[in-house]
Amino acid sequence: MTISLKHATRAVALLCASLAVIGCAGSKGHYPAAAEAQQRMAAEAAATQKGTASIDSQATYLKLVEQMQTDGLWFASLAHIDALEKRWGVSPESSRMRADALRQTGETARSEDAYKKLIGTPLEAAGYHGLGLLAGSRGDYFEAVKLLKEAQRRNPTDAVLLSDLGYANLRAGLVADARLPLMQALQLRSDNLQAQANLALYLEVTQQHAQADALMEIHRMSAATRAAIRESARQIGNAPRAARSNDIVMSASDGAAPLRLKTARWPDLGERRAIMSPAPASNPSSSSSRGTE
């Protein structure tokens, strides 16, 4: 007996509905204990479902795991990646999914190792993207820029990657270098809320306040998101001046806690399940490393 992707994901969705009171779609940072318990229960429920029926192809199983990650079920996806690789072996696609899930669940060392294994494979861009996100999460934005540029060379039209690169440039103090990738990101994916927010941040940092306000108004950003963007711009603007690149270059050593290069960076921007996962109305699956959380 086989089970369709639709039926498999429906089982997880029903479980999420029953757990709505503890925030099934929320980020694990808000309710860590509840979220992790929920992820374990989701994994167990999905595993039980799989125990009574089998998925008939690797491609179908990969789509199931992709959907689970899109829904923010990172812990559950790790359990299914184990099952997938046990049955069909390790592939670049399963390795990329594992690396993303390990990063999203805080297993940074293991995630870094997994991303490095993608170098030299068809998903090399995803490997560099993920390594760049990990560098950004450590606050090492110069290294993040270097790695994200390597990813961009291999995948120049990935809007989420370009948005991450622009943001890393801002945090590294390379403000002038942020403009091009941020504009590219927004024009490639105008529905991507993280790209919208990062471009608004650039406009605030470069004192283009009227344009920033207009952009945030057009995209109906919440008051919390607007406040977070302006506070981030203030942090970048208060950084001590360093050597200049074009007109504006500032030091990244501002002493402030670095904003993480990932989904859900801004309040209310939960693109896929929410990385920056940009928020509703955006389709995170376009990013090779889902990145941006």
Side-chain angles (χ1 to χ4, degrees), residues 56-102:
D56 58 1
S57 74
Q58 182 182 24
T60 300
Y61 210 157
L62 284 168
K63 289 179 181 178
L64 169 63
V65 176
E66 185 82 22
Q67 185 60 51
M68 295 179 77
Q69 293 190 345
T70 295
D71 292 338
L73 299 174
W74 297 102
F75 288 92
S77 75
L78 280 170
H80 279 280
I81 292 167
D82 288 340
L84 185 155
E85 291 183 341
K86 181 178 179 181
R87 182 171 180 182
W88 284 288
V90 177
S91 67
E93 291 80 6
S94 68
S95 295
R96 190 267 298 168
M97 290 178 174
R98 182 181 296 279
D100 287 344
L102 290 169

Side-chain angles (χ1 to χ4, degrees), residues 70-178:
T70 295
D71 292 338
L73 299 174
W74 297 102
F75 288 92
S77 75
L78 280 170
H80 279 280
I81 292 167
D82 288 340
L84 185 155
E85 291 183 341
K86 181 178 179 181
R87 182 171 180 182
W88 284 288
V90 177
S91 67
E93 291 80 6
S94 68
S95 295
R96 190 267 298 168
M97 290 178 174
R98 182 181 296 279
D100 287 344
L102 290 169
R103 176 170 58 84
Q104 295 279 7
T105 56
E107 300 287 338
T108 55
R110 294 174 62 197
S111 176
E112 183 172 4
D113 289 341
Y115 281 127
K116 287 179 178 177
K117 290 177 181 177
L118 294 176
I119 306 303
T121 75
L123 295 182
E124 189 171 51
Y128 281 113
H129 191 174
L131 291 171
L133 295 175
L134 289 171
S137 71
R138 298 191 300 268
D140 188 350
Y141 291 103
F142 290 103
E143 180 67 12
V145 168
K146 175 183 174 182
L147 292 164
L148 293 172
K149 282 183 176 179
E150 289 294 330
Q152 180 197 18
R153 291 188 187 101
R154 292 159 176 81
N155 191 5
T157 60
D158 184 333
V160 176
L161 167 59
L162 289 164
S163 181
D164 288 344
L165 173 58
Y167 177 79
N169 276 319
L170 286 175
R171 295 296 297 185
L174 305 172
V175 178
D177 293 340

